[in-house]
Amino acid sequence: MNLQRRRQILSGILAIAGIGALIANQQPQTLAQLPESGYQAPSFTLQSISGREIKLAQFRGRPVMLNFFASWCPPCQAEAPDLVKMYDRYQGKIIFLGIDMTETDSPAAVSAFMKKVGMTYPVLLDGMGKVARQYDVISIPTSFFINAQGKIVQRVEGAMNQQTLQTDLAQLSRPAVQT
């Protein structure tokens, strides 16, 4: 075998070994971590638009509705007034958290959007998209309904109308049946 052929073979072997090492080192989510109904909601800490640090864990024992959005997103804009109405209805029973995808938005635009639609519940800034990746958010809006035990009971991709939102929130606000 000539030297050039040996180098090609060696390069191929090294490339295959490198790909194998990359695959072996990846840590796919286990079933217990999937961001879907029936699974534990991934924990996170983010800063709110007002500068407060908010942890999902601080709401353990209370139902939570997470809504991933961006101020420039037309479906997000369309659903926002219904979210505000439902927040007013369920305030004190369900924690509402907006999570703005600030990697494509600015805090100033988020604040202006909140003021325009009358949004007073906490909005968190996911500037690096880390939490969106944890929750496998690929389109916005995407909402998660999380029970008091921290389990996801519903994942909704796309804008919700008031009736759908009301149904999901009413179900979330019911006390869990102990089995």
Side-chain angles (χ1 to χ4, degrees):
M1 232 191 267
N2 67 25
L3 185 59
Q4 185 176 1
R5 182 73 179 137
R6 286 182 194 176
R7 285 183 181 159
Q8 288 174 337
I9 291 171
L10 183 58
S11 293
I13 291 170
L14 290 174
I16 291 170
I19 291 170
L22 282 173
I23 292 170
N25 286 329
Q26 285 183 348
Q27 296 179 341
Q29 290 182 318
T30 64
L31 287 179
Q33 297 172 326
L34 287 173
E36 296 290 341
S37 297
Y39 297 99
Q40 194 69 30
S43 64
F44 63 82
T45 301
L46 288 173
Q47 190 166 355
S48 73
I49 193 86
S50 65
R52 286 188 16 226
E53 186 175 270
I54 306 253
K55 297 178 182 192
L56 181 62
Q58 76 190 61
F59 303 112
R60 196 58 170 276
R62 299 181 67 194
V64 176
M65 198 278 299
L66 298 180
N67 177 255
F68 289 85
F69 75 99
S71 67
W72 51 262
C73 160
C76 303
Q77 294 167 356
E79 106 178 326
D82 291 332
L83 287 169
V84 169
K85 285 179 195 170
M86 292 299 110
Y87 171 69
D88 291 341
R89 181 177 292 171
Y90 287 96
Q91 193 171 1
K93 296 178 187 171
I94 298 174
I95 303 298
F96 280 61
L97 296 173
I99 300 181
D100 182 75
M101 310 283 289
T102 50
E103 60 186 329
T104 57
D105 215 341
S106 73
V110 175
S111 293
F113 175 70
M114 291 174 66
K115 185 175 181 178
K116 178 181 175 184
V117 299
M119 191 180 292
T120 58
Y121 54 85
V123 171
L124 312 179
L125 304 175
D126 190 18
M128 302 303 285
K130 181 180 175 186
V131 176
R133 283 189 297 279
Q134 280 182 284
Y135 279 80
D136 198 25
V137 174
I138 55 174
S139 64
I140 50 175
T142 295
S143 297
F144 292 86
F145 298 84
I146 302 167
N147 69 17
Q149 292 74 42
K151 299 249 174 160
I152 297 169
V153 296
Q154 181 76 1
R155 175 188 177 122
V156 178
E157 294 181 6
M160 295 176 283
N161 62 35
Q162 188 171 348
Q163 183 176 358
T164 301
L165 190 54
Q166 170 63 35
T167 301
D168 290 340
L169 289 169
Q171 182 179 14
L172 188 62
S173 69
R174 287 190 206 117
V177 177
Q178 299 296 323
T179 54

